[in-house]
Amino acid sequence: MASTKQLARLCLLFAVLLPVVLGECGYQSCNPTKPDRLNVHIVPHTHDDVGWLKTVDQYFYGANNSIQHAGVQYIIDSVVAELDKDPKRRFIYVEMAFFDRWWRQQNDAMKEKVKGYVNDGRLEFINGGWSMNDEACTHYNSIIDQMTLGHRFLKDTFGKCGVPRIAWHIDPFGHSREQASLFAQMGFDGFFFARLDHDDRHKRINESRMEALWRGDPSLGGVADLFFGALYGTLYMPPPGFCFDRGCDDEPIQDDPKLFDYNVDERVDQFIKWVTLQSLAFRTNHIMLTMGSDFQYENANAWYKNLDKLMKYVNAKEESTNVYTLYSTPSCYTYNLNKANQTWTTKEEDFFPYADSPHSNWGGYFVSRVAFKANERRSNNLLQVCKQLETLAGSQTSKDPEAEVETLREFMGVSQHHDSITGTAKQHVNNDYTKRLHIGNGRCQKLVGLALGQLMAKNQSISGPKTEFCNYLNISICPATETVDSFTVIVYNPIAKGVSTYVQVPVNGASYHVMGPDGSTVPNQVQAVSDAIARVRRDRGSAKNSLFFLATMPPLGYSTYQVTTAKQALWRVSPEHLSKNTKAVPASPNSDTTISTDKMSVTFDSTGLLKSISNTDWNVTVNVKQSFYWYNASKGDLASGQASGAYIFRPNSSTPFPLFDGKSVQGKVVNGSEVIEFHQAFQPWLNQIVCLHKTKHHVDFEWVVGPIPFSDGLGREIITRFDTDIDSKDTFYTDANGRQMMKRIRDHREDYPYNNIEPVAGNYYPVNSRIFIKDSDKQFMIMTDRSEGGSSLQSGSVELMIHRRLLHDDSKGVGEPLNETDQFGDGLMAVGRHRVLITRAAEGAKVHRLSGEEIYMAPWVFFSTQTTDWTKKYNPMKSFIAKNLPDNVHLLTMELWSETEILFRLEHMFAIDEDPVDSQNVTVSLKGLFPMLNITGIDELTLSANQELSSATRLQWHTKDGDTPTRFSPPPVTGPSYDVVLSAMQIRTFKATFTRT
């Protein structure tokens, strides 16, 4: 009979091996800890950038190692081989853009082996998005899409064991409250990151507050709460002296006492000192060590061999040191924290801006590579159009194998990476990102043309029209319209509400007739292409003029407009139905100039600078001066060697230099019947067009900047600034990822005393879609067409940085200055638009919420030179939804999940108490909502669509206010009505089965 001691040993052995024997993933697979020890969770990991110093392909294959030695395929190969040697070993992997590639190259035997490692917890997927997305420059729509893409791959491949439980953003440069809310809604139990402001870090370490509960969204309450942890060491690196991969200089564990270099005691002592110090910053007897770094574990044998030895010898001394080590994962670490008897502190705001040292504010990347930021935002617009039309018409690959959405979906996932959308990759890598978006856009455009053509046809025997897309409409280039006498404009509206928009088409004729979808004449206007746009276009394109007209589209539908030159149209229409060519005339140099419509009025002073804006419908006037300025980018000074660069914004003075010469901006007025413009020339390389549209309550400021001069050796960071009479004091508001609005207070931080060393950069925040100021009466809002950076540095003032050209690297890793020379070699020229809205303060939320939806989900315009028998063959207007959705509801997602399934997301766009009507609960019935799609069943899912909502559970955490998070349990959606109830800021995700009608 076995002794009691032998039985105890057997029980302990069984406890250690049980997870492996049962093959259980999840928290059941965690290696055991010890309640009376400092448990050191050893987390082997690699951080694999989806492009940065090398392209995605180069990183995966290990090419171009002259720049950086990194080969992801070898990392995964090496790790898998090492995991096979010991069931207690662990490894985490994050970036599905890489793992998906590796997986597709494996044979069935290897795939089964890896599935076994996933099932028993040896290999765990953390975060699980297509990339580790940035949190400042990304739009929430794109974040959700890229996370859904990665999570679907994991769920389809590994089942429930492929569902990540922990969010892991160890490299993004600051952290957004909306990101935390989205992660909570995806079902994550925790969120770990490495980068937070150096002052915040020091205070949290001193107060043992490195881990806490983040209140993700006050509108959602406890549903959006998320446990977070800030990593202790140097970012996500191992403790000093304990890196064991290729390229590391640290000594291995040399444990043969017969050899002269035996160092076990020394290394163990060094390790114990580090973990003891680290433990002082945390509140439980558990700490986590990230054992890995960028592109590490290509030599996984070296890592695991040394870690095995280190853990063996540390644990041998646990009785005297009280330190116990174990292989672990962030999930298992979180699970053990959750079991500790702790009352956790809470956090309300976000982690912006981020500075890693007193003079190093990471606000430059809010603006870096402005053209790519606009390209990405526009690509997301097309991606949503593409997904909707594939859902409505079905797959189009049988007609054209390249007419598909997956390429753009994946490349958009890559673009969310924290060195892509941020503009912090090397130039050749950014070129690669741009090429990928171009390819993805082209394939989606093929799908859109075929799908909408199919939906337009009056019967199945009619082929859809041949369509053409013009990707450079913003600089008046469109071969489809420049050389023909007649063409059709097709405008698709991806919003589930009717909208109208002014279409601008490059043409060469002086007068045109536009016929609307109902056969009536549509008023239109022709004017010369502006000097500013001609300057950007150079020798590309031949259009002399631009044609403007108002297009009106039904909800989730399209309208078509027949355009004919006057010469062609005169035989069937009278001259008054033709457009007149509107000329630009100089503004008066001696008096104010006012341009106005029935809705808006804008006044400029005698120099041509903006003086005031009035919303005549709402009887609101704001006195406002607008001009451009530049900050001289620091190249380092006596206070610090820190230069401005791709990551860092550091002006060498708090006072920017004016780009207005103090005399005149050479104002010109184009007083058209549909569009009224005021043209300004601030510099030979800086223009602006201020535009009113006849039926709209906004003012568009279209800026054209570049090439930024640099021959004097100075880096320039260009801003536009609006100085108003609004008494905003020290408060302004910026959006978080296009969704929540964050209150900002100048020279203030929520969690630590603000040190005003860099008064400009320290007050710059990411502006993903809008920034505004207000007082008790009025609200002044600027909507952006891409991510930018901005601030309010004095009461009534709003500034946005719109372009930057720098001559020095900021020494944060990319290794080259941000000096985009563009295809012509003399510098990048950027064209962008700010939409200015002024309202009474009470109406501000409704105005900016609806405007934000219309800008990021703008109507998609394309063309056909086919006009003969158009109305006989095609429906000139059609909606694919039975009725408008309510103002406060947005159709966020509509995509084909399989041949018989659709993924829907419905979003409540308003925050709690933002609007007396639109912040209220709202109900949408899915029954009959989409006439072409008969819904036969529906399941509600978590936000990233990888778990059924009814079975998704999250760990509960105790705070002084009680236990959190709250379970998300909205009213169930059941047939036959399929009513969806939405409360403020909710997003509800559904997978529906359907048949086509």
Side-chain angles (χ1 to χ4, degrees):
M1 179 180 291
S3 68
T4 303
K5 186 176 291 188
Q6 287 174 320
L7 285 172
R9 287 174 178 167
L10 285 171
C11 289
L12 178 60
L13 178 61
F14 184 72
V16 171
L17 295 179
L18 183 60
V20 179
V21 173
L22 294 180
E24 288 186 279
C25 58
Y27 297 127
Q28 295 80 10
S29 68
C30 297
N31 286 320
T33 59
K34 295 188 176 183
D36 57 345
R37 297 285 188 259
L38 172 61
N39 293 277
V40 180
H41 293 249
I42 302 293
V43 178
H45 81 105
T46 180
H47 175 63
D48 296 344
D49 289 303
V50 186
W52 178 38
L53 307 182
K54 305 199 296 188
T55 68
V56 185
D57 293 349
Q58 290 169 348
Y59 271 137
F60 181 76
Y61 284 107
N64 206 358
N65 280 341
S66 61
I67 294 177
Q68 180 186 16
H69 185 97
V72 173
Q73 61 173 338
Y74 308 123
I75 292 170
I76 304 176
D77 287 343
S78 180
V79 166
V80 168
E82 290 303 311
L83 291 178
D84 195 47
K85 296 178 180 178
D86 186 346
K88 294 192 297 295
R89 287 179 174 178
R90 296 291 183 267
F91 193 79
I92 63 170
Y93 201 76
V94 176
E95 297 87 3
M96 294 308 104
F98 284 134
F99 196 87
D100 169 77
R101 288 183 180 211
W102 181 85
W103 184 258
R104 285 186 278 109
Q105 295 181 2
Q106 306 310 304
N107 59 35
D108 290 343
M110 177 58 74
K111 288 181 178 179
E112 287 304 309
K113 177 180 286 190
V114 172
K115 284 181 180 179
Y117 299 155
V118 174
N119 289 341
D120 64 25
R122 270 183 263 189
L123 175 62
E124 184 174 334
F125 296 103
I126 299 293
N127 208 69
W130 205 245
S131 63
M132 185 184 292
N133 66 258
D134 171 59
E135 299 185 39
C137 306
T138 44
H139 193 275
Y140 74 98
N141 193 171
S142 297
I143 294 173
I144 294 170
D145 275 357
Q146 78 92 12
M147 292 298 294
T148 301
L149 179 61
H151 285 188
R152 184 177 188 184
F153 163 74
L154 288 172
K155 185 67 179 291
D156 288 351
T157 306
F158 300 103
K160 70 179 182 66
C161 292
V163 175
R165 297 182 301 279
I166 297 297
W168 185 255
H169 270 199
I170 55 174
D171 201 24
F173 326 125
H175 305 285
S176 155
R177 190 171 75 181
E178 180 59 30
Q179 180 75 70
S181 175
L182 296 176
F183 278 155
Q185 295 172 72
M186 291 173 188
F188 285 115
D189 282 325
F191 177 21
F192 290 93
F193 51 80
R195 296 186 185 271
L196 73 164
D197 190 274
H198 64 107
D199 285 331
D200 194 2
R201 174 184 292 278
H202 294 157
K203 192 168 188 290
R204 289 182 178 277
I205 287 174
N206 291 336
E207 297 175 357
S208 301
R209 290 190 305 111
M210 295 292 277
E211 296 159 340
L213 254 294
W214 198 347
R215 306 292 193 192
D217 188 334
S219 295
L220 296 175
V223 167
D225 288 354
L226 185 64
F227 182 84
F228 77 86
L231 301 183
Y232 175 79
T234 304
L235 298 178
Y236 41 86
M237 319 300 186
F242 293 93
C243 178
F244 301 116
D245 205 348
R246 181 194 181 282
C248 297
D249 296 327
D250 300 334
E251 292 296 321
I253 309 300
Q254 301 173 78
D255 59 343
D256 186 343
K258 296 178 182 179
L259 301 183
F260 295 148
D261 292 331
Y262 176 81
N263 64 0
V264 169
D265 295 336
E266 173 191 340
R267 301 311 307 280
V268 168
D269 288 347
Q270 182 184 0
F271 183 83
I272 296 297
K273 287 179 182 178
W274 176 269
V275 299
T276 302
L277 179 63
Q278 178 173 334
S279 70
L280 300 177
F282 295 85
R283 303 182 62 190
T284 75
N285 63 327
H286 296 270
I287 62 171
M288 177 168 61
L289 297 186
T290 49
M291 306 302 284
S293 188
D294 292 359
F295 299 98
Q296 291 203 353
Y297 284 78
E298 191 170 320
N299 187 351
N301 176 61
W303 260 113
Y304 282 110
K305 190 166 189 174
N306 282 279
L307 287 176
D308 286 347
K309 290 181 179 182
L310 177 64
M311 294 164 68
K312 171 185 173 182
Y313 295 117
V314 169
N315 290 348
K317 293 186 174 183
E318 65 173 292
E319 291 294 336
S320 60
T321 65
N322 204 43
V323 173
Y324 177 74
T325 63
L326 65 148
Y327 278 118
S328 190
T329 68
S331 299
C332 293
Y333 174 67
T334 303
Y335 182 62
N336 279 278
L337 295 182
N338 183 258
K339 292 191 298 181
N341 184 22
Q342 288 290 326
T343 298
W344 300 95
T345 59
T346 59
K347 178 178 174 60
E348 305 289 337
E349 300 301 322
D350 60 12
F351 289 95
F352 286 118
Y354 158 62
D356 63 349
S357 64
H359 295 277
S360 302
N361 287 274
W362 294 53
Y365 78 94
F366 301 161
V367 191
S368 295
R369 302 198 189 279
V370 293
F372 181 78
K373 284 177 165 63
N375 185 8
E376 182 277 336
R377 187 64 56 86
R378 187 72 171 147
S379 297
N380 177 65
N381 192 172
L382 176 59
L383 177 60
Q384 306 314 313
V385 170
C386 196
K387 292 194 296 184
Q388 289 179 2
L389 289 172
E390 184 184 47
T391 302
L392 293 164
S395 172
Q396 302 296 307
T397 53
S398 62
K399 302 171 188 174
D400 182 343
E402 291 191 347
E404 46 85 16
V405 67
E406 195 61 27
T407 298
L408 183 56
R409 197 194 324 259
E410 292 185 6
F411 290 167
M412 276 295 293
V414 168
S415 295
Q416 306 317 304
H417 168 59
H418 58 270
D419 282 308
S420 177
I421 185 60
T422 55
T424 55
K426 282 187 177 292
Q427 184 63 57
H428 78 102
V429 179
N430 189 255
N431 295 343
D432 183 73
Y433 290 141
T434 302
K435 180 179 180 180
R436 290 173 187 277
L437 286 184
H438 177 76
I439 293 169
N441 274 265
R443 295 190 173 191
C444 251
Q445 286 171 351
K446 289 182 178 183
L447 189 158
V448 167
L450 291 172
L452 194 55
Q454 173 185 318
L455 295 167
M456 291 167 63
K458 289 190 171 181
N459 62 65
Q460 293 182 356
S461 65
I462 297 174
S463 299
K466 182 181 179 182
T467 55
E468 297 183 50
F469 293 81
C470 296
N471 296 322
Y472 301 100
L473 283 175
N474 66 327
I475 55 172
S476 293
I477 298 175
C478 184
T481 63
E482 293 174 14
T483 59
V484 295
D485 290 331
S486 62
F487 54 88
T488 300
V489 182
I490 306 165
V491 190
Y492 176 77
N493 169 29
I495 298 176
K497 294 161 234 177
V499 301
S500 63
T501 189
Y502 280 87
V503 176
Q504 180 177 352
V505 183
V507 293
N508 274 301
S511 182
Y512 286 83
H513 178 260
V514 179
M515 184 177 73
D518 61 355
S520 64
T521 294
V522 177
N524 67 91
Q525 164 185 336
V526 174
Q527 66 186 58
V529 170
S530 70
D531 294 341
I533 295 302
R535 181 172 67 80
V536 178
R537 194 176 64 183
R538 303 195 190 193
D539 60 354
R540 298 167 294 173
S542 62
K544 299 175 182 177
N545 297 321
S546 294
L547 168 71
F548 294 87
F549 65 89
L550 180 66
T552 301
M553 286 73 63
L556 199 69
Y558 69 89
S559 296
T560 61
Y561 293 82
Q562 303 265 294
V563 179
T564 312
T565 59
K567 181 179 179 180
Q568 292 282 323
L570 270 176
W571 67 270
R572 57 184 174 84
V573 299
S574 56
E576 63 265 23
H577 292 302
L578 303 177
S579 53
K580 295 180 179 179
N581 199 309
T582 306
K583 305 291 186 182
V585 297
S588 170
N590 301 315
S591 62
D592 292 352
T593 298
T594 298
I595 60 174
S596 63
T597 66
D598 291 341
K599 312 288 184 184
M600 301 292 295
S601 175
V602 182
T603 298
F604 303 85
D605 66 21
S606 59
T607 69
L609 291 185
L610 180 67
K611 184 176 182 180
S612 68
I613 301 175
S614 296
N615 186 320
T616 51
D617 273 2
W618 293 333
N619 194 29
V620 177
T621 296
V622 174
N623 295 317
V624 52
K625 174 188 174 182
Q626 182 267 338
S627 190
F628 295 91
Y629 305 82
W630 65 282
Y631 288 110
N632 186 359
S634 177
K635 55 186 178 182
D637 55 23
L638 293 176
S640 169
Q642 181 63 66
S644 233
Y647 300 93
I648 302 298
F649 170 40
R650 188 181 182 224
N652 69 359
S653 170
S654 297
T655 304
F657 296 93
L659 286 165
F660 170 54
D661 63 8
K663 298 177 182 178
S664 173
V665 293
Q666 305 165 43
K668 295 180 183 178
V669 178
V670 180
N671 196 359
S673 59
E674 301 303 308
V675 176
I676 304 171
E677 296 178 346
F678 191 89
H679 295 198
Q680 301 167 308
F682 287 83
Q683 295 286 327
W685 52 271
L686 174 57
N687 303 78
Q688 184 168 254
I689 300 170
V690 183
C691 181
L692 293 178
H693 298 90
K694 182 178 179 181
T695 65
K696 300 297 183 180
H697 286 96
H698 60 248
V699 187
D700 281 345
F701 289 74
E702 184 177 66
W703 40 267
V704 181
V705 183
I708 299 174
F710 69 103
S711 59
D712 55 4
L714 301 178
R716 286 171 167 81
E717 320 210 39
I718 313 302
I719 65 166
T720 177
R721 193 175 78 198
F722 294 79
D723 296 310
T724 77
D725 61 356
I726 289 177
D727 185 19
S728 59
K729 298 183 169 57
D730 57 1
T731 301
F732 59 105
Y733 299 81
T734 64
D735 69 299
N737 307 105
R739 201 150 191 265
Q740 293 186 61
M741 294 306 304
M742 305 296 297
K743 182 179 180 179
R744 309 299 191 185
I745 300 175
R746 190 166 55 255
D747 298 338
H748 173 77
R749 298 291 189 267
E750 173 197 17
D751 295 313
Y752 56 95
Y754 176 67
N755 191 355
N756 195 23
I757 293 177
E758 294 284 341
V760 176
N763 285 295
Y764 252 65
Y765 289 86
V767 178
N768 197 274
S769 66
R770 70 206 77 175
I771 182 172
F772 67 78
I773 54 174
K774 63 179 181 178
D775 57 24
S776 58
D777 298 321
K778 298 178 289 190
Q779 188 158 314
F780 180 87
M781 299 162 279
I782 305 175
M783 312 296 296
T784 67
D785 62 354
R786 70 200 73 190
S787 287
E788 297 172 358
S791 188
S792 173
L793 297 178
Q794 58 185 351
S795 181
S797 180
V798 179
E799 67 179 62
L800 287 162
M801 188 181 294
I802 55 175
H803 199 356
R804 51 204 313 255
R805 188 177 193 180
L806 308 171
L807 305 181
H808 297 274
D809 178 49
D810 55 20
S811 302
K812 296 302 180 183
V814 73
E816 63 184 34
L818 183 71
N819 183 15
E820 298 175 274
T821 56
D822 200 23
Q823 68 190 85
F824 297 104
D826 55 357
L828 178 69
M829 304 176 77
V831 180
R833 177 173 289 130
H834 290 147
R835 178 158 294 174
V836 171
L837 306 159
I838 62 169
T839 66
R840 292 184 293 266
E843 283 88 28
K846 187 177 183 80
V847 171
H848 77 70
R849 290 289 182 192
L850 297 182
S851 182
E853 181 188 32
E854 289 189 10
I855 291 172
Y856 103 87
M857 288 285 277
W860 202 261
V861 181
F862 50 111
F863 306 90
S864 177
T865 54
Q866 183 177 332
T867 56
T868 305
D869 295 331
W870 185 268
T871 55
K872 292 182 180 180
K873 294 180 179 180
Y874 309 115
N875 293 301
M877 174 186 284
K878 192 172 184 178
S879 174
F880 306 111
I881 194 169
K883 59 183 178 181
N884 281 294
L885 290 184
D887 278 352
N888 53 359
V889 177
H890 173 51
L891 178 61
L892 178 61
T893 302
M894 182 182 188
E895 68 179 86
L896 197 62
W897 200 251
S898 71
E899 290 185 1
T900 58
E901 294 174 310
I902 302 170
L903 188 71
F904 286 114
R905 289 189 183 93
L906 291 175
E907 172 192 6
H908 193 302
M909 297 197 304
F910 284 71
I912 193 168
D913 297 330
E914 259 190 342
D915 186 273
V917 175
D918 288 317
S919 290
Q920 301 302 311
N921 290 1
V922 61
T923 301
V924 175
S925 175
L926 296 180
K927 181 182 180 181
L929 187 61
F930 305 100
M932 300 179 66
L933 309 171
N934 177 41
I935 294 176
T936 57
I938 197 163
D939 291 314
E940 186 159 8
L941 309 175
T942 52
L943 184 59
S944 58
N946 66 343
Q947 302 174 71
E948 289 190 3
L949 187 65
S950 60
S951 60
T953 59
R954 298 173 62 204
L955 297 176
Q956 294 290 296
W957 304 86
H958 187 66
T959 72
K960 62 181 178 59
D961 302 316
D963 290 346
T964 194
T966 307
R967 186 180 178 90
F968 184 38
S969 301
V973 178
T974 58
S977 61
Y978 297 111
D979 289 340
V980 179
V981 180
L982 294 163
S983 62
M985 296 300 277
Q986 275 188 352
I987 300 174
R988 297 185 67 179
T989 304
F990 305 98
K991 185 167 64 176
T993 55
F994 77 102
T995 57
R996 298 193 184 275
T997 58

